[in-house]
Every structure is written in C-alpha cells, then in structure tokens.
C-alpha cells in the first residue's frame, strides 16, 4: 500500500516540481508583493505591509475603467459567441451538401495568422489617409455618417472589440458544438418524431440537454478567456490603452509592471489578485448553476 | 387495427456517387397484418426490415405503394398522426430524463383538446410502467438500469399513448441470451394483454418463430413467405426460406429425380411416384433422419454430440452443400461411435425438394420405399 503510493508520487514528481516552480511559487510571490507597501524596484525595499495597494488600485480611475471594459466585453461576447456558434453548428449539422466546404470556411479564422486577421480588421474598420474603411463605406453608402471605429467614440471602439473577440473565438466553438451535435444518437430524434414532438421542443428538451456539457465547457472557458483579454486589444488599439480608454484588467496589470507608467509590481499584484478573485467567483457560480442544469453522458 | 401494405417500394439514392442510381431497400411488398396479431418480420441483415418498419411508422415515405391502417390511408401521414408506438434497437431513451419523464414525454406533446393535466399524465405513465413491471424504478435515470429494464421503459414509452400499432425494431439484440428469452416472453405477454397489432423485426429466426402469430420472411427487399411459424418451417416455398429457418439449419444435398425415385449420389433415398426427371436440391431437416441399419441413406460418421434431450449425429456426405450433415435423433437410440458409416431412413414429411435453377419449391409426393419395423 505504502509502496504503491510512493511509486505514484514518484511518477507525479516531475509534474509537481514543475507546477510548484512555475505556478505555486509565483502565485505565492504575487500575494506577498500585493501586501508590501511602497515597494521600490531599484532598491528592492518596502516601507511596510498592509492593504494600501488594494485600496489604491480600487480607487484608480484607470483600473475602474479597465474593470468596466472587461465586464462589458465578457457579458457581451460570451453569450453572443456561444449563441452564434450554436446557430451556425445547427445549420451545419442540417445541411448535407457542401458540408465539408462550410466547415472549412468557418474554421479558417482558427488557423489564420493573427497578423492577417488584424489586417482584415484594418481594412474593415480603420480610417487611413487612403480609405475610410470598408464598414464606413457601407455606412456612408446607406446614407449614414462615417464613424471612427479605432479612435472615435467609446461605443464604436467597444463594438469593434466585441466584434473581433466574437469572430476570433467562433471557429473553436463551432468545431466543438458541431461534433457535440453530431454525437447525439439519431434514434433519439426519430423517437421524438414518432412521439409527435415539435421542432422547438426537440431542440429545448433533447438537443440542448444532450450538448449542455459542451455548451457549459465553452461558457466557462469563454468567461475565463474574455477576462484575460489583452493582446487582441493591443492589436486593435495600440499599446497606450489607458489613453484610449480601452484598457482591460490584464492590460492594467501589464501597464503597472512594464508600461510607460510602470514599475509598480505591488499595484500590479494587487490588481492581478482582484482579477483572480473575480474569475474564481464567476467560475464557482457557473459550476453551481451547471450542477442543476447540465447533463454529463 | 389491421395493417395493409400494397405494393410498397422504397428506393434510396445510391451513396456510391460514381455509379449513381438507386438502392432498392424494399421491393413491391404486399401483405396484410390481421388486427391484434403479433407479426415477426424476419430476414438477414440489410434486407430492408428497418426500412419497412420506418415506412409503417412514417419516418420514411414509400417511393411507391400504399399503407392502410384499418380503412385509413396513412401513406402520407406524419408519424405523430398515425398512432404508432415504436421501440428502437438502441432503445433511444432520453438519457437526461428519469424513467417517469421518459414515459411521460409522448404525453407532453399532446396539444389542444388532447392536452392532459400533470396528474393524468403521471397516472398514465404509472399505468404503462405497471404493465411492463418497472413501477418501482420510476425515478431512476436510464444509465442506472440494466439493459432489460431499459428495454421495458422503451416499451412503456411506446405504449403510453395507447397506439393503434406497436413497432419493435430488433428490440432484443442488445440483451444477453437469458434476458432475451425472458424479455421476449414479456413482449408476448404485453402484446396479449393489450391486443395491439404488433410488428416485431428480428434477424433471429428462433426469436421470430417462438413469439409470432405470423412470420413474414423477407430477403433483399422482397417478400419470400408469410404464414404461421410452424407452417413456414414445414412448408418453405423456396430454398432461402428453408435455409433461413431452423437451428440447426436444414441439410441441403444435390440430388436427382429419376424413374420415380429420389436419388442422392448413388442411393435412391425415397420413392417419388409420378415425378418428372430433373436435378433438384434436397433439403432435409435435422429431425428428418431415423437411424436404421438397412436404411438407404448412408453418411460418413464424424462425431456424436449429446446435448441434453437430443443426440446429434455429425457426419459428412459428398453431395451435401453444407460442410457437415447434422441429424438429431432422440437420445434413447444406441449408436456405436466407432463405426465408419451411419445408415438412415428419411421421414418424407421432413424432406423438401427445390428446383436446381430457380430454387423454388417442387411439390411432389414422397414416400418411404423401405418398411421400417
Ligand atoms: N438512408 C439510406 N440511404 C441509402 N441506403 C439506405 C438507407 N437506409 C437503408 N439503406 C439501404 O437499404 C437496405 C436495407 O436497409 P435496412 O436498414 O432496412 O436493413 P435491415 O434489414 O434493417 O438490416 P439490419 O438487420 O442490419 O438492421 C440496405 O442495403 C441499406 O444499405
Ligand atoms: Mg435494421
């Protein structure tokens, strides 16, 4: 008994060492940083310990803006992308002709280089000395006034960010959902049909529950991914996100460490732990909700 | 409810893109299922049994032909308006719902005047569950039950709406041998109690023979024979039906009718007075052999198998199409396992002749020439 568990630990040792070195220790370190007040990078000294860093971060306008931006992004893109992916998957599942072609088309963004994706978005939205951007061309053609999506009003920038995020996460979600839909036993649908079940009821009472575990998986990873949004935002709005008013929590953390106003690892750590608390809370809520609603095969 | 099928044909577009064309799954199929009977639809894999059943329940529309329930033409009706209950080979229970919810599911679909209150639904579900004796398991999920219990739930769900017709597509093939025996008795009992016209699909001839009032044998989408199980067994219309029914299978020999006698090899095994000379297939049921020292039919003994009541003699014969000749004799008979040859008399009523070319049955009188004392 003891011998076999010792053996198990031996097998686990590399993973345990690795995780300790790269996950547990940094986490611990961040916690320590976050309570060290007045930390000085150069001399590596601090005045004392306390919760001042948290208080500072929570009163910082830029942080509050970043939290707001992140929440808007999460609340809009997670349901929207999952919903759209579900609709497209349902469509893909019901077409028989050219199914592979459609699947390939929808999967393309997933394997496309980020730079190429960025370029596409430039063409779509960015005003340059040479062009108005494709979307603005359409707006003006329809008789509207053109909008600066990159440096214009807040809602326009938020729209672009959400649009981009949804578009980028769609392929993966479609991939997961089409295979989930395809794995539902066809006989269940036949049985439902023989029993006279309407299409809507088939969807809500059979299809949805049968793929609920996959939807749930997408929602959780979607939440976590959106809370961690940063690089996409930089790709669209440049590095000075605070000035653009488009910073995210992760962006704020990064700026506090390395940005123009950087050099504050204590503030960065406090902000990072606040983000951690938020994600943890939301994931716990998700798990609680799912325990009642989700069916696992 | 009587079911009448008239010239039913179903063609599927061929999946092979190069050759194109059609696969004919069911071809010009006509028969009538009397009210309240249990009919076994029997045939080898891929012969179109499921397609047939799907047309009766409305999941597939026939390419040609008509389907009547009683006097109603239901050919174009969607499944929910036909009043059918269906049990699938995979049971198709909704895995996320409890037994009760599964059984209530069809009732919840009722709309308008037919709509039921929650209490009535629960009552009806319980009634159906009692019929199949699973009322104690109502709050379990399908995954928490044995195959046989799941099977019963599927039957209860099919019965809860009081269908006019009950359709079962290979309902027993996922069960182990013992449970299969039990469950088929159960299906028989439920069918008797409810007197619902039932079509039962299987590729297991023994299953079909044991519980059906009528069996319908099909092959490659075509009707071969329809009749009472024993009649079809005793009187097959062609070689396919003869070979398909019975375990152990019928023994088939190349033979010849000549000079009023039936010959297998160089032995005249039976008298066939007044028959026309021709080559034939001779089918002999395993129970058609009688051990007899001076019997006209001689086979080379391989071994003797004693299985409970019966003794089965395994031997070989040059003219036999099968690799071995299997004959079953009552276990009282004495036989020396070391002898090289065994001699038999044949029971004429257990011998069927078929045309060499068409494999259709040849009806001619057969008689035993040798007197058995
Ligand atoms: N949707 C379809 N498209 C094309 N061909 C089909 C389709 N459904 C069935 N077939 C063909 O029709 C024939 C009969 O199929 P069917 O499923 O009715 O056989 P079966 O008797 O039920 O066989 P099994 O005992 O294996 O279930 C087969 O050759 C099959 O390939
Ligand atoms: Mg089948």
């Amino acid at each position: 008994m003891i011998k076999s568990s010792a053996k198990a630990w031996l097998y686990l040792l590399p993973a345990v060492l690795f995780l300790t070195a790269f996950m547990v220790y940094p986490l611990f370190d961040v916690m320590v940083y976050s309570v060290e007040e007045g930390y000085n990078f150069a001399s590596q000294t601090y005045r004392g310990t306390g919760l001042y860093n948290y208080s500072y971060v929570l009163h910082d306008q830029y942080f509050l803006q970043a939290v707001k931006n992140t929440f808007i992004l999460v609340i809009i893109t997670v349901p929207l992308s999952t919903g759209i992916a579900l609709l497209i998957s349902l469509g893909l599942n019901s077409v028989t002709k050219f199914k592979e072609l459609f699947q390939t088309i929808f999967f393309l963004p997933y394997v496309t280089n980020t730079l190429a994706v960025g370029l596409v978005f430039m063409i779509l939205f960015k005003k340059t000395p040479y062009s108005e951007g494709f979307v603005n061309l359409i707006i003006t053609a329809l008789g509207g006034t053109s909008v600066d999506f990159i440096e214009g009003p807040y809602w326009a920038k938020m729209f672009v960010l959400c649009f981009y995020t949804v578009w980028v996460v769609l392929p993966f979600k479609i991939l997961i959902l089409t295979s989930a839909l395809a794995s539902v036993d066809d006989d269940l649908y036949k049985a439902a049909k023989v029993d006279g079940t309407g299409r809507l009821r088939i969807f809500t009472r059979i299809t949805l529950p049968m793929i609920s575990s996959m939807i749930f998986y997408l929602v959780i990873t979607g939440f976590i991914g959106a809370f961690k949004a940063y690089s996409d935002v930089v790709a669209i709005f440049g590095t000075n996100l605070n000035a653009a008013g488009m910073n995210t929590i992760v962006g704020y953390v990064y700026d506090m460490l390395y940005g123009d106003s950087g050099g504050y690892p204590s503030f960065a750590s406090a902000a990072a732990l606040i983000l951690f608390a938020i994600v943890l809370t939301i994931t716990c809520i998700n798990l609680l909700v799912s325990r009642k609603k989700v069916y696992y095969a | 409810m009587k079911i009448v099928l008239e010239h039913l044909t179903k063609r599927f577009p061929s999946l092979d893109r190069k050759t194109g064309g059609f696969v004919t799954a069911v071809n010009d199929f006509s028969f009538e299922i009397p009210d309240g009977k249990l009919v076994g639809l029997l045939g080898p894999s891929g012969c179109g049994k499921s397609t047939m059943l799907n047309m009766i329940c409305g999941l597939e529309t026939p390419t040609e032909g008509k389907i009547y329930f009683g006097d109603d033409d239901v050919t174009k009706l969607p499944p929910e308006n036909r009043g059918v209950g269906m049990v699938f080979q995979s049971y198709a229970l909704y895995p996320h719902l409890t037994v009760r919810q599964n059984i209530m599911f069809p009732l919840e679909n009722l709309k308008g005047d037919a709509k039921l209150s929650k209490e009535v639904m629960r009552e009806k579900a319980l009634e159906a569950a009692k019929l199949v004796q699973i009322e104690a398991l109502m709050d379990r999920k399908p995954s928490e039950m044995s195959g046989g219990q799941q099977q019963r739930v599927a039957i209860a769900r099919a019965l809860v709406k009081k269908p006019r017709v009950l359709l079962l597509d290979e309902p027993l093939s996922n069960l182990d041998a013992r449970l299969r025996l039990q469950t088929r008795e159960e299906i028989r009992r439920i069918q008797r109690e409810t007197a619902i016209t039932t079509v039962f699909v299987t590729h297991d001839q023994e299953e079909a023979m044991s519980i059906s009032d009528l069996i319908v044998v099909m092959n490659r989408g075509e009707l071969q024979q329809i009749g009472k199980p024993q009649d079809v067994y005793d009187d097959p219309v062609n070689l396919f039906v003869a070979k398909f029914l019975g375990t152990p299978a019928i023994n088939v020999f190349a033979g010849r009718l000549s000079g009023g006698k039936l010959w297998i090899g160089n032995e005249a095994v039976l008298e066939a007075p007044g028959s026309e000379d021709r080559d034939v297939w001779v089918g002999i049921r395993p129970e058609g052999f009688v051990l007899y020292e001076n019997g006209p039919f001689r086979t080379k003994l391989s071994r003797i198998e004693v299985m409970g009541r019966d003794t089965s003699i395994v031997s070989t014969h040059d003219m036999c199409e099968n690799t071995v000749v299997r004959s079953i004799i009552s276990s009282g008979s004495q036989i020396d396992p070391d002898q090289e040859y065994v001699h038999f008399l044949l029971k004429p009523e257990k011998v069927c002749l078929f045309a060499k070319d068409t494999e259709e049955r040849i009806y001619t009188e057969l008689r035993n020439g040798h007197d058995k004392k």
Side-chain angles (χ1 to χ4, degrees):
Chain A
M1 192 60 209
I2 292 168
K3 215 174 144 193
S4 75
S5 86
K7 218 172 173 182
W9 278 109
L10 186 67
Y11 290 144
L12 280 173
L13 194 61
V16 169
L17 282 180
F18 191 85
L19 284 175
T20 313
F22 293 99
M23 302 281 293
V24 181
Y25 170 69
L27 188 66
F28 179 73
D29 213 28
V30 165
M31 286 182 191
V32 172
Y33 270 128
S34 75
V35 292
E36 291 175 353
E37 292 176 2
Y39 183 84
N40 186 314
F41 228 157
S43 60
Q44 305 247 332
T45 56
Y46 57 94
R47 249 185 288 119
T49 56
L51 295 178
Y52 170 74
N53 297 323
Y54 289 94
S55 157
Y56 175 87
V57 167
L58 287 171
H59 288 94
D60 185 351
Q61 282 312 311
Y62 286 138
F63 182 73
L64 296 180
Q65 181 68 44
V67 170
K68 182 181 156 198
N69 291 340
T70 308
F71 267 87
I72 292 179
L73 184 71
V74 167
I75 287 166
I76 292 182
T77 61
V78 174
L80 201 61
S81 62
T82 313
I84 294 175
L86 185 58
L87 285 180
I88 294 179
S89 311
L90 286 170
L92 275 176
N93 225 43
S94 57
V95 296
T96 42
K97 268 189 183 168
F98 307 121
K99 186 171 185 158
E100 289 90 1
L101 179 71
F102 283 123
Q103 262 167 348
T104 312
I105 291 176
F106 283 114
F107 203 63
L108 269 182
Y110 198 64
V111 290
T112 308
N113 190 298
T114 327
L115 285 179
V117 176
L119 200 67
V120 170
F121 267 74
M122 288 269 263
I123 295 171
L124 281 177
F125 291 107
K126 199 169 172 74
K127 273 189 175 177
T128 63
Y130 320 106
S131 100
E132 284 278 287
F134 186 70
V135 174
N136 270 325
L137 282 182
I138 293 178
I139 292 177
T140 43
L142 292 175
T145 48
S146 77
V147 182
D148 188 339
F149 282 101
I150 307 298
E151 282 152 9
Y154 180 69
W155 67 264
K157 290 190 277 193
M158 209 53 183
F159 172 79
V160 173
L161 181 59
C162 292
F163 190 95
Y164 180 90
T165 309
V166 169
W167 192 69
V168 161
V169 297
L170 263 188
F172 178 69
K173 296 195 171 184
I174 292 174
L175 182 76
I176 296 284
L177 289 180
T178 37
S179 58
L181 284 173
S183 69
V184 179
D185 184 1
D186 215 29
D187 280 353
L188 292 186
Y189 293 126
K190 286 192 195 161
K193 225 163 136 191
V194 173
D195 291 338
T197 320
R199 288 176 69 122
L200 183 68
R201 213 170 107 84
I202 288 184
F203 179 72
T204 55
R205 291 291 307 275
I206 299 171
T207 312
L208 267 190
M210 294 307 289
I211 61 170
S212 58
S213 64
M214 277 302 142
I215 292 182
F216 176 63
Y217 163 74
L218 290 178
V219 167
I220 284 221
T221 53
F223 267 117
I224 294 172
F227 270 117
K228 294 200 298 190
Y230 173 56
S231 57
D232 302 342
V233 194
V234 172
I236 305 174
F237 302 105
T239 46
N240 200 347
L241 291 172
N242 278 339
M246 290 307 292
N247 214 347
T248 61
I249 301 180
V250 174
Y252 180 88
V253 172
Y254 185 88
D255 287 346
M256 274 297 174
L257 276 177
Y258 307 111
D260 295 337
S261 56
Y264 300 100
S266 299
F267 293 155
S269 302
L273 284 174
I274 293 172
L275 173 63
F276 177 68
I278 295 174
V279 173
L280 191 67
T281 315
I282 299 228
T283 306
C284 286
I285 293 173
N286 272 334
L287 283 171
L288 282 179
V289 172
S290 79
R291 200 170 287 171
K292 277 216 154 16
K293 303 273 179 208
V294 174
Y295 161 76
Y296 291 98
Chain B
M1 185 64 44
K2 167 176 91 167
I3 305 174
V4 183
L5 308 177
E6 275 182 15
H7 304 289
L8 268 196
T9 297
K10 179 73 190 180
R11 283 187 283 269
F12 290 109
S14 172
L15 295 176
D16 188 350
R17 279 181 205 154
K18 269 185 229 136
T19 53
F22 294 96
V23 179
T24 307
V26 171
N27 192 11
D28 196 19
F29 214 101
S30 302
F31 71 89
E32 192 177 315
I33 300 171
D35 184 28
K37 295 285 189 222
L38 197 163
V39 173
L41 189 55
L42 180 63
S45 187
C47 72
K49 305 182 295 290
S50 299
T51 310
M52 190 77 184
L53 215 59
N54 287 344
M55 285 194 288
I56 298 178
C57 88
L59 285 170
E60 302 270 9
T61 40
T63 318
E64 281 161 34
K66 291 218 174 299
I67 303 168
Y68 297 92
F69 285 3
D71 296 323
D72 309 339
D73 180 355
V74 298
T75 317
K76 297 245 155 56
L77 280 187
E80 65 264 29
N81 298 342
R82 294 192 182 193
V84 292
M86 178 118 170
V87 177
F88 293 85
Q89 181 174 348
S90 62
Y91 312 143
L93 295 178
Y94 308 121
H96 55 292
L97 301 181
T98 62
V99 169
R100 189 192 311 280
Q101 289 167 325
N102 262 288
I103 301 177
M104 277 165 63
F105 198 90
L107 298 176
E108 289 166 1
N109 290 327
L110 295 172
K111 287 194 214 76
D113 291 344
K115 208 173 164 84
L116 300 172
S117 73
K118 205 85 195 169
E119 287 79 60
V120 178
M121 282 196 242
R122 287 176 79 91
E123 219 165 85
K124 288 196 172 219
L126 191 64
E127 206 179 296
K130 277 188 179 146
L131 189 64
V132 297
Q133 300 169 346
I134 44 156
E135 66 270 25
L137 309 173
M138 293 297 265
D139 294 310
R140 293 222 195 151
K141 292 268 176 74
S143 58
E144 298 159 353
M145 300 195 298
S146 73
Q149 290 167 337
Q150 292 184 33
Q151 176 63 265
R152 288 157 191 243
V153 179
I155 295 174
R157 188 180 64 183
L159 287 176
V160 73
K161 264 211 233 168
K162 301 251 155 65
R164 302 192 284 177
V165 172
L166 180 62
L167 306 169
L168 305 125
D169 192 352
E170 309 207 18
L172 305 180
S173 51
N174 288 345
L175 303 181
D176 69 48
R178 256 187 53 161
L179 205 52
R180 203 183 279 196
L181 272 175
Q182 259 175 32
T183 315
R184 86 185 181 204
E185 292 312 318
E186 195 76 350
I187 289 177
R188 186 67 184 142
R189 175 185 67 79
I190 295 164
Q191 197 272 333
R192 286 247 166 84
E193 266 173 45
T194 55
I196 295 176
T197 311
T198 302
V199 183
F200 179 101
V201 163
T202 176
H203 57 247
D204 181 342
Q205 51 88 24
E206 204 183 324
E207 210 166 278
M209 302 266 288
S210 62
I211 69 167
S212 315
D213 295 315
L214 279 179
I215 58 173
V216 178
V217 185
M218 62 188 292
N219 187 28
R220 300 211 194 122
E222 296 191 12
L223 175 66
Q224 305 291 316
Q225 192 169 0
I226 175 167
K228 294 208 180 96
Q230 195 61 44
D231 295 350
V232 177
Y233 179 82
D234 288 338
D235 246 333
V237 297
N238 60 31
L239 190 58
F240 171 81
V241 176
K243 281 189 191 167
F244 200 71
L245 294 188
T247 38
I250 198 165
N251 301 291
V252 180
F253 302 86
R256 184 166 169 72
L257 283 172
S258 170
K261 285 189 161 87
L262 173 65
W263 299 80
I264 295 177
N266 297 325
E267 293 144 354
V269 292
L270 287 174
E271 307 269 318
S275 65
E276 162 193 347
D277 291 2
R278 65 195 293 190
D279 285 334
V280 292
W281 291 114
V282 185
I284 309 174
R285 292 280 177 204
E287 66 274 22
F289 297 89
V290 183
L291 272 182
Y292 186 60
E293 225 170 291
N294 298 320
F297 189 57
R298 192 182 74 154
T299 62
K300 196 158 188 285
L301 181 64
S302 307
R303 62 181 186 278
I304 293 163
E305 291 172 4
V306 183
M307 287 180 295
R309 283 177 294 112
D310 298 323
T311 302
S312 112
I313 301 176
V314 181
S315 52
T316 56
H317 191 280
D318 289 342
M319 289 296 133
C320 184
E321 206 198 20
N322 323 32
T323 46
V324 294
V325 180
R326 252 178 203 283
S327 37
I328 295 179
I329 55 174
S330 59
S331 53
S333 357
Q334 288 303 313
I335 175 166
D336 172 10
D338 294 327
Q339 69 197 69
E340 197 178 352
Y341 290 100
V342 266
H343 293 260
F344 295 106
L345 266 182
L346 300 181
K347 294 182 191 164
E349 72 276 12
K350 293 289 176 189
V351 177
C352 304
L353 304 183
F354 304 93
K356 196 91 183 199
D357 43 0
T358 59
E359 304 195 341
E360 292 298 321
R361 178 79 180 273
I362 297 168
Y363 294 93
T364 182
E365 195 203 342
L366 293 174
R367 234 186 310 152
N368 224 322
H370 301 253
D371 282 327
K372 190 191 160 209
K373 302 276 151 41

